[in-house]
Amino acid sequence: MTDPIIKFDKVVKRFDTLTVIDELDFEVGQGEKVTIIGPSGSGKSTVLRILMTLEPIQEGVVYVDGDMLWHEKANGGVKPAGEAHLRRMREKMGMVFQQFNLFPHMTVRRNLTEAPVKVLGMSKAEARERAEELLDMVGLADQADKFPHQLSGGQQQRVGIARALAMRPKIMLFDEPTSALDPELVGEVLSVIRRLAEEHDLTMLLVTHEMQFARQVSDRVCFFDRGKIKEQGTPEEIFGNPKEERTRAFLKAVLEGE
Amino acid sequence: MALAWGTCDGHTLMHWTEYFGPLMQGAWVTIELTVYSTILGAILSFAAGIGKTSHNPVLKGISVVYIEVFRGTSLLVQLFWLYFALPLIGDAVGIDLRLPPVVAGVLALSLNIGAYGAEVVRGAIQAVSKDQYEAAKACNFTPRQTLFSVVLPQAIPEMMPPFGNLAIQNLKDTALVSLISLGDLAFRAEQLRNFTQDSTTIYTMVLFMYFGMALVLTAIMKLLERNVGRWRAVRR
Amino acid sequence: MLFGIEWDTSSNLAFAISILPILLIGMWVTIQATVLGFFIAIVLGLVLAALKSVPLKIVSWPAYAITEFIRDTPLLIQLFFLYYVLPEYGLVFPAFLTGALALGIQYSAYTSEVYRAGIEAVAKGQHEAARALNFKSLRTFTHVVLPQAVPRIIPAMGNYLVSIMKDVPVLSVVTVLEMLNVAQIIGDRTFNYLIPLSMVGGLYLIMTLVASSAVRYLDMNLPKRGLPLK
């Protein structure tokens, strides 16, 4: 493996007295597709939220693409990252939210062009063209002029994926992208993510409860428990022959539920 | 005195339909006052409302003090202070701060309504869900872009119903500027009453004129409300 | 001299100190007008709210129209109307009473909406439950709806008390000697408006601060019964 594109070094994240991420060491390689599974409250979504700079950390260092994420160098030392540094780092990442979080007052097209135009300084024409391509890719080319609330949950989430891609990220973060969907709409979203995984060299970090899907798309599966990686390995290792008792118990509970 | 009809015994000389002339003149001043102070008040509302949500302690401090002072005191006190007391400060520092009645009136009305409006703006901004701020961050918007592209467009439709109430409040409040001898509707009514002693007719007419203006203003605000919230009305 | 109290114009500070007791006398009138006006507003508001809830359109519709009319017209004009028109029909009140009545009428339009909203909010869910338990209608109202509505009504009413307080200076136009009028008279006689008017502003800040803290305290310490509404 070449240099990791994401690296957590003894990272601690606390909410008041509750430790959610506990001295976490974690690496993701360039172009790697990694799935994070685990019981709720295990801190798996927090990993993505730390990367997207939505949650600050208390201890340790996070590296993204060779740079410190939450720190920056200053006269020989290191200081907490300022807004300019965070913005530079955010450019590398795109995030897909559990609740879609589309901008409800913008059409689907504006949802996809607003940030490229305002943040990346792309021309309107170029941004629109790119939006058409992305909508075509997620199968929503005919919905560009609708508002988010006019779409089904599955369609909204596909727009959410397209919106994140519109910023040309190196890393895509998926935070339980299908958890808020009705069961019959899960498939269309998963197939978009699957195609993305197969056809692009994006680095993908995915938190999900869809075990079957995790098995199919990931290069590596990490089982999170109490703010740490309890066990990790190839999908075959984790799903076929988990070594840890807690992993086995979790998988048993989840797979029986399915 | 703008009224110069015949003798001092106006009661016998003036038919009630003749009241309309001066009252309409006054109503026009009332409308102008309402429009100016509502617009200026809206600007102040946004400035102070956004200022109060700011992380900059100076901006935040100024906004909070402005809002508290103007919500915590009476409009009439503010009006009199601007009109009677401010020139004395001007004297002390050697600047002429004597405001013409119309300036003092518009300023007092908009400062007052702006303080109430600021709380509406702040409330609506803070009611925009955390999810939207996170999505904006994930799209790498700057805080300013987040405010103008994401937060305000969603907050403004929420502000419209309370803004409608404030606009009506503002229309009613304009009557107070008659007390610094500005020739608005209330002022013309008082002049006519002095002249004719026909209180019942004059004040009944004036009440209905204010009511009519309020109905029109309500309709305008409803129209505006529908306009800024268009995206919400589109159904699938 | 006002109310038998002399002012001392030897220095700004001495002037401020000497007129404070005079302003406080005016403040006492302000408080009295506020309380009386508020009392009239909550009684009249209840009457309006009751009329609006009558299922007969011929009763409820005029009540709605009156509420709207009162709310859309200025307090000042309503006050002039009462002050000049009532005597023409033989109803002569002292200016203070006329003023309090005007405040009460203006704010009854607002308080009636508070009653209506408070009762409606509770009634929606609970009314049906009560009906299922076969309460008689009045009993439902006094035992089920009111105990839940009152804690929700009180804070909103409290806010209108504060608003009434801020509208009392309007009564100065009919010669009521409330705080602003007193300050204005001092200003007229000494040509120093700055100090009395600024002091009135300061005193108002204190009054509204105290009143709104009291309202907040009441709101937090009232027993909230029944289902939380939002």
Side-chain angles (χ1 to χ4, degrees):
Chain A
M1 194 162 81
T2 53
D3 276 352
I5 190 164
I6 297 171
K7 184 176 173 195
F8 279 59
D9 186 6
K10 298 244 176 318
V11 171
V12 176
K13 165 75 196 171
R14 276 183 290 259
F15 290 110
D16 294 322
T17 54
L18 181 74
T19 304
V20 226
I21 299 292
D22 188 7
E23 299 206 0
L24 174 69
D25 290 318
F26 176 49
E27 289 183 6
V28 178
Q30 191 94 45
E32 200 181 6
K33 299 3 176 191
V34 176
T35 305
I36 301 177
I37 60 170
S40 49
S42 60
K44 49 194 198 304
S45 284
T46 309
V47 171
L48 301 193
R49 295 174 57 78
I50 288 171
L51 282 167
M52 199 64 252
T53 71
L54 303 177
E55 303 280 1
I57 58 174
Q58 272 77 41
E59 288 169 34
V61 186
V62 179
Y63 297 88
V64 173
D65 202 17
D67 275 322
M68 285 180 288
L69 178 64
W70 281 104
H71 305 81
E72 56 184 320
K73 296 194 184 84
N75 353 305
V78 166
K79 61 165 194 162
E83 183 59 27
H85 176 80
L86 290 176
R87 289 199 67 219
R88 219 160 31 240
M89 296 303 288
R90 273 184 218 126
E91 273 178 23
K92 305 171 194 293
M93 290 170 282
M95 185 156 179
V96 175
F97 295 89
Q98 186 177 348
Q99 300 290 342
F100 330 135
N101 301 7
L102 297 179
F103 302 125
H105 57 295
M106 298 180 192
T107 60
V108 166
R109 182 183 288 110
R110 274 266 319 277
N111 262 282
L112 267 58
T113 57
E114 188 79 359
V117 170
K118 292 239 162 88
V119 177
L120 301 181
M122 209 181 267
S123 76
K124 280 208 172 112
E126 189 188 353
R128 283 173 74 100
E129 198 178 312
R130 174 122 178 90
E132 304 296 333
E133 278 170 32
L134 286 166
L135 284 176
D136 199 36
M137 193 198 100
V138 299
L140 293 171
D142 52 341
Q143 310 285 339
D145 293 313
K146 291 203 172 156
F147 284 98
H149 68 257
Q150 295 174 284
L151 303 180
S152 73
Q155 290 172 320
Q156 288 189 52
Q157 191 59 297
R158 280 142 67 196
V159 175
I161 295 169
R163 181 179 67 177
L165 289 171
M167 295 299 282
R168 303 181 188 278
K170 292 182 174 177
I171 302 164
M172 280 286 283
L173 309 169
F174 294 88
D175 186 9
E176 306 198 23
T178 58
S179 296
L181 296 177
D182 291 335
E184 74 272 18
L185 302 176
V186 169
E188 59 187 71
V189 172
L190 292 184
S191 73
V192 167
I193 300 175
R194 184 180 293 124
R195 260 220 329 279
L196 208 57
E198 286 162 0
E199 296 170 10
H200 296 263
D201 59 352
L202 276 169
T203 305
M204 287 171 50
L205 202 51
L206 186 88
V207 171
T208 185
H209 292 291
E210 301 288 335
M211 296 304 154
Q212 198 55 41
F213 178 70
R215 194 170 190 155
Q216 292 163 0
V217 299
S218 354
D219 301 320
R220 178 157 55 105
V221 177
C222 299
F223 174 68
F224 257 66
D225 192 36
R226 291 175 209 179
K228 283 192 158 167
I229 296 175
K230 194 86 179 170
E231 184 172 359
Q232 57 180 322
T234 63
E236 292 71 35
E237 285 167 349
I238 298 291
F239 292 111
N241 184 22
K243 294 186 181 57
E244 298 282 336
E245 180 52 41
R246 288 209 45 97
T247 318
R248 272 200 293 274
F250 171 76
L251 286 173
K252 184 158 180 279
V254 173
L255 294 173
E256 270 173 10
E258 269 182 8
Chain B
M1 199 60 162
L3 299 170
W5 285 278
T7 70
C8 50
D9 187 11
H11 199 24
T12 50
L13 280 184
M14 245 178 123
H15 190 253
W16 69 271
T17 49
E18 291 177 77
Y19 299 159
F20 272 112
L23 289 185
M24 280 307 191
Q25 262 181 12
W28 181 242
V29 174
T30 294
I31 291 169
E32 285 182 313
L33 281 170
T34 307
V35 170
Y36 296 152
S37 55
T38 301
I39 292 172
L40 191 55
I43 294 170
L44 284 166
S45 301
F46 277 96
I50 293 168
K52 198 175 171 182
T53 62
S54 159
H55 293 294
N56 180 329
V58 177
L59 275 182
K60 188 171 178 158
I62 292 172
S63 307
V64 169
V65 169
Y66 160 62
I67 294 168
E68 292 304 316
V69 166
F70 281 87
R71 276 166 53 102
T73 57
S74 166
L75 169 60
L76 202 51
V77 175
Q78 292 154 21
L79 180 67
F80 281 12
W81 197 92
L82 282 177
Y83 191 64
F84 294 108
L86 189 63
L88 295 171
I89 293 186
D91 282 348
V93 295
I95 323 170
D96 185 6
L97 287 178
R98 280 173 305 173
L99 304 177
V102 65
V103 175
V106 169
L107 213 54
L109 286 168
S110 28
L111 282 167
N112 184 264
I113 213 75
Y116 289 92
E119 283 296 286
V120 172
V121 170
R122 181 199 55 81
I125 285 177
Q126 287 177 347
V128 172
S129 85
K130 215 175 121 260
D131 288 349
Q132 289 293 311
Y133 286 94
E134 294 192 343
K137 216 177 212 183
C139 286
N140 217 355
F141 286 119
T142 63
R144 181 187 296 255
Q145 288 167 340
T146 304
L147 181 67
F148 287 105
S149 290
V150 178
V151 176
L152 282 181
Q154 294 183 60
I156 286 172
E158 298 295 328
M159 300 173 196
M160 291 316 287
F163 269 0
N165 290 336
L166 285 178
I168 299 292
Q169 184 66 46
N170 199 24
L171 165 67
K172 293 197 297 177
D173 284 344
T174 57
L176 294 181
V177 302
S178 63
L179 303 179
I180 56 169
S181 62
L182 221 112
D184 74 326
L185 181 53
F187 186 80
R188 296 287 176 214
E190 180 62 6
Q191 269 187 333
L192 276 178
R193 191 199 59 77
N194 266 324
F195 187 64
T196 65
Q197 299 301 319
D198 189 7
S199 319
T200 314
T201 316
I202 294 166
Y203 280 111
T204 306
M205 284 168 74
V206 169
L207 281 173
F208 275 97
M209 285 170 79
Y210 273 109
F211 186 52
M213 289 192 272
L215 291 184
V216 172
L217 188 55
T218 307
I220 293 173
M221 291 307 285
K222 281 258 146 53
L223 220 68
L224 216 60
E225 185 180 336
R226 210 167 308 151
N227 219 292
V228 297
R230 251 177 329 195
W231 54 272
R232 296 201 295 192
V234 184
R235 288 278 135 242
R236 50 166 84 182
Chain C
M1 191 175 85
L2 193 62
F3 305 130
I5 302 171
E6 291 285 353
W7 42 74
D8 175 359
T9 50
S10 58
S11 75
N12 282 341
L13 183 66
F15 182 54
I17 293 171
S18 66
I19 62 170
L20 184 62
I22 308 177
L23 291 178
L24 288 179
I25 293 173
M27 186 203 259
W28 178 233
V29 176
T30 300
I31 293 170
Q32 287 173 314
T34 305
V35 171
L36 184 57
F38 182 63
F39 178 75
I40 296 170
I42 55 178
V43 174
L44 264 183
L46 188 60
V47 173
L48 275 177
L51 288 176
K52 281 192 271 193
S53 69
V54 171
L56 277 173
K57 276 231 170 69
I58 198 159
V59 179
S60 65
W61 193 84
Y64 273 107
I66 290 169
T67 308
E68 202 55 45
F69 189 83
I70 295 173
R71 202 179 22 198
D72 281 352
T73 47
L75 171 64
L76 181 72
I77 308 296
Q78 292 169 5
L79 177 62
F80 276 143
F81 187 89
L82 294 177
Y83 189 71
Y84 290 118
V85 174
L86 289 185
E88 289 188 3
Y89 298 90
L91 294 163
V92 182
F93 298 121
F96 176 82
L97 276 185
T98 310
L101 188 61
L103 285 170
I105 289 173
Q106 166 89 170
Y107 278 91
S108 68
Y110 295 96
T111 58
S112 76
E113 281 302 296
V114 174
Y115 286 118
R116 208 180 52 82
I119 290 168
E120 238 169 43
V122 174
K124 276 214 170 104
Q126 297 280 304
H127 224 62
E128 276 159 32
R131 196 169 288 163
L133 293 170
N134 213 359
F135 279 101
K136 291 227 163 56
S137 208
L138 185 66
R139 209 181 137 77
T140 308
F141 190 76
T142 55
H143 282 67
V144 181
V145 176
L146 267 190
Q148 291 184 69
V150 165
R152 296 176 217 293
I153 286 173
I154 284 179
M157 290 295 186
N159 290 334
Y160 284 125
L161 176 81
V162 179
S163 298
I164 290 176
M165 187 187 276
K166 288 184 277 190
D167 271 348
V168 170
V170 175
L171 309 197
S172 64
V173 301
V174 293
T175 70
V176 174
L177 282 172
E178 50 65 57
M179 195 161 49
L180 180 66
N181 201 359
V182 168
Q184 199 65 18
I185 291 171
I186 297 172
D188 289 342
R189 296 196 190 160
T190 61
F191 300 105
N192 185 345
Y193 292 97
L194 181 61
I195 289 174
L197 285 178
S198 303
M199 285 173 76
V200 169
L203 290 170
Y204 250 105
L205 273 181
I206 295 170
M207 285 202 296
T208 53
L209 205 73
V210 169
S212 17
S213 316
V215 171
R216 229 181 340 245
Y217 178 83
L218 252 180
D219 185 22
M220 280 192 299
N221 289 279
L222 275 174
K224 299 271 194 304
R225 277 177 280 194
L227 301 165
L229 290 159
K230 284 214 219 170

